Amino acid sequence: MKRTLIAQALDSKNDNSRILIKGWVRTKRDAKGFSFLEVNDGSCLKNIQIIVDASNPAYEILGEVNTGAAVEVTGALVPSPGKGQKWEVRANDIRVIGHADAESYPLQKKRHSDEFLRTIAHLRPRTNKYGALFRIRSESAFAVHQFFRNRGFYYLHTPIITGLDCEGAGELFRVTTLPPVSAEPEEADHLFEADFFGKEASLTVSGQLEAEMFACALGNVYTFGPTFRAENSNTPRHSAEFWMIEPEMAFADLKDNMDLSEELVKNLIAHVIDHCGSDLELFSRFVDKNLVTQLEIIAKESYVRLPYGEAIEILKASGDIFEFPVDFGTDLQTEHERFLCEKHFKKPVIVYNYPKQIKPFYMRLNDDNTTVAAMDLLVPKIGELIGGSQREERLAVLKQRIDESGLNRDDYWWYLDIRRFGTAPHSGFGLGFERFLMMVSGVTNIRDVIPFPRTPRHLEF
Ligand code: 4AD
Ligand code: MG
């Protein structure tokens, strides 16, 4: 017999059909004359209830069935008299596929803390909360591809190993095949020479520079892949390995970029609300009671668009005490970003035209010579969800920005070439996929929305 997923079984229209279920036991309860098993196979949040009569020869085997065991059940799908479920299975036969030791199985019936579950990241997807979260993660990833595909964007795979620091923040993980040696700075070049690529190599912090090349050939492209940053900040919003969605559009300016970012966020939220109903409900019940209301605001209301200079004025006039003081020229910290969208505007805010000295070299210089055509999309609870810009398409200006940033023009010869041959205005941004998942689930620590988190001093699994 073909295996039926529990999601399908619970959705069934047919009474009394014979089915085969495979899954892991969540609980076992004994009553007079029969036992109940709650089995989950990961296909949905709900378990299916299995009833085993004491008169059934399979009843004997229940002694071996503990929480966590993998089992196979054949039986009839019948209407359930119990509350909360339409169907249950009257077992004909039960087989234990894999035993679990009741004493040492770490997932007990009680609720475990997120901190504890992080230490068993290999088992936490078997809990209701993490099962739901990672189904939402999967569905959201598909929604990203669907969004861009429907709009004629091509999906581009940019390299994971690179020779450049796109963001210029020096947060690179080095890639090497050489044995570890501690080199004096003056010997470093010599060492890189002997290394696999014959030059310094690292894991990418962003696929943007390469995406620009393809936007200036295929028109509209996007990348969606892992990025790596050796930021030694142990914050609940930073991870050393995270996934980023980076669209890049040719013949597009900052306004087009803001429009796309707003449309993308709204569309992804609407998709999750439409397709992940019961999983999402778990988060609005147990994690954040206002979750769905908040998501509906973000999915429906139009976002505030605010020049950086005005944002600074609002923050200065707010009377709020911030840990980091603000003034024109300082970068916005999470506390400022959250003030703007949680307290002041009560909805997402796109801040644009940041001072050039706090932004990377590739952002287009504005006519005022002090700001660049940058944009950050800020959302309640998270702060920065998206960072992007219109790119500098003027060769002379770009060369000067590279010099000013202390970078070497020769390293960027191909990046400059695009400005030599048919240069065109183009724009793009990066959306942090984990931050998006934190927003839709209400989960407040980035370690809990990525299957196996990588953070400073943490590389288990
Ligand atoms: O603002 P960022 O640094 O922008 C870029 O990397 C651009 N090259 C993107 C582009 O224009 N194509 O990063 C983009 C987003 C941030 O807004 C944030 O959501 C996320 O990536 N992000 C992180 N997420 C988790 N952990 C980290 N350490 C992150 N750093 C950035
Ligand atoms: Mg940023």
Side-chain angles (χ1 to χ4, degrees), residues 166-167 171 205-209 211 223 227-229 231 233 237-248 257 359-360 362-363 375-377 382 384-389 391 427-436 446:
C166 170
E167 295 302 296
E171 293 161 343
V205 295
S206 159
Q208 177 198 320
L209 303 188
T223 72
T227 42
F228 309 87
R229 292 192 188 179
E231 276 167 290
S233 51
R237 284 173 199 80
H238 290 88
S239 173
E241 179 175 310
F242 62 98
W243 283 61
M244 195 166 25
I245 296 145
E246 295 184 273
E248 192 70 34
N257 215 28
K359 289 292 182 187
Y362 55 71
M363 295 190 175
M375 50 157 274
D376 278 6
L377 193 158
I382 309 289
E384 180 186 340
L385 173 66
I386 287 180
S389 71
R391 319 308 187 186
S427 302
F429 60 80
L431 179 150
F433 190 50
E434 284 74 18
R435 298 215 182 150
F436 171 79
I446 198 164

Side-chain angles (χ1 to χ4, degrees), residues 257-291:
N257 215 28
M258 295 192 217
D259 291 347
L260 184 74
S261 68
E262 181 167 340
E263 202 185 335
L264 173 63
V265 173
K266 287 180 162 164
N267 188 287
L268 292 182
I269 293 180
H271 185 99
V272 170
I273 293 176
D274 278 357
H275 291 81
C276 305
S278 50
D279 285 329
L280 198 59
E281 195 195 313
L282 178 144
F283 292 94
S284 46
R285 277 179 63 196
F286 298 113
V287 177
D288 179 357
K289 298 260 180 286
N290 290 323
L291 186 66

Side-chain angles (χ1 to χ4, degrees), residues 174-440:
R174 186 171 298 152
V175 174
T176 177
T177 52
L178 292 178
V181 279
S182 56
E184 296 300 318
E186 53 275 16
E187 286 172 43
D189 280 346
H190 180 65
L191 270 179
F192 294 138
E193 184 66 34
D195 207 342
F196 189 92
F197 296 103
K199 64 193 277 192
E200 188 171 8
S202 27
L203 295 176
T204 189
V205 295
S206 159
Q208 177 198 320
L209 303 188
E210 291 89 352
E212 284 185 47
M213 305 302 106
F214 271 72
C216 294
L218 302 190
N220 291 337
V221 298
Y222 72 102
T223 72
F224 183 8
T227 42
F228 309 87
R229 292 192 188 179
E231 276 167 290
N232 207 358
S233 51
N234 236 322
T235 82
R237 284 173 199 80
H238 290 88
S239 173
E241 179 175 310
F242 62 98
W243 283 61
M244 195 166 25
I245 296 145
E246 295 184 273
E248 192 70 34
M249 298 177 286
F251 311 110
D253 64 12
L254 189 66
K255 173 167 184 307
D256 300 319
N257 215 28
M258 295 192 217
D259 291 347
L260 184 74
S261 68
E262 181 167 340
E263 202 185 335
L264 173 63
V265 173
K266 287 180 162 164
N267 188 287
L268 292 182
I269 293 180
H271 185 99
V272 170
I273 293 176
D274 278 357
H275 291 81
C276 305
S278 50
D279 285 329
L280 198 59
E281 195 195 313
L282 178 144
F283 292 94
S284 46
R285 277 179 63 196
F286 298 113
V287 177
D288 179 357
K289 298 260 180 286
N290 290 323
L291 186 66
V292 174
T293 323
Q294 189 65 52
L295 289 179
E296 273 162 4
I297 291 176
I298 306 177
K300 294 204 179 101
E301 290 200 19
S302 57
Y303 301 175
V304 176
R305 298 187 182 190
L306 184 72
Y308 165 92
E310 286 179 31
I312 295 295
E313 291 313 313
I314 291 174
L315 289 162
K316 280 170 53 179
S318 74
D320 261 39
I321 310 289
F322 296 113
E323 188 187 339
F324 296 92
V326 272
D327 213 341
F328 195 97
T330 59
D331 208 356
L332 297 185
Q333 304 293 327
T334 304
E335 55 174 346
H336 309 128
E337 298 172 340
R338 291 186 57 176
F339 174 86
L340 291 173
C341 36
E342 283 167 36
K343 283 202 182 160
H344 195 81
F345 292 107
K346 300 192 169 56
K347 56 171 159 169
V349 180
I350 302 178
V351 177
Y352 64 96
N353 289 349
Y354 283 74
K356 64 175 178 183
Q357 68 271 22
I358 57 170
K359 289 292 182 187
F361 72 95
Y362 55 71
M363 295 190 175
R364 192 178 194 280
L365 189 62
N366 287 327
D367 292 344
D368 61 12
N369 250 316
T370 46
T371 61
V372 286
M375 50 157 274
D376 278 6
L377 193 158
L378 318 175
V379 294
K381 299 279 167 67
I382 309 289
E384 180 186 340
L385 173 66
I386 287 180
S389 71
Q390 182 169 345
R391 319 308 187 186
E392 184 55 75
E393 86 285 12
R394 297 161 297 183
L395 182 63
V397 184
L398 183 60
K399 280 182 177 168
Q400 202 186 337
R401 292 279 289 138
I402 289 180
D403 296 347
E404 279 170 15
S405 309
L407 301 168
N408 184 352
R409 279 189 203 183
D410 295 341
D411 292 342
Y412 294 87
W413 66 271
W414 51 275
Y415 190 73
L416 291 165
D417 254 8
I418 284 299
R419 280 77 181 168
R420 287 192 180 99
F421 309 120
T423 194
H426 59 286
S427 302
F429 60 80
L431 179 150
F433 190 50
E434 284 74 18
R435 298 215 182 150
F436 171 79
L437 293 167
M438 291 169 72
M439 178 178 76
V440 291

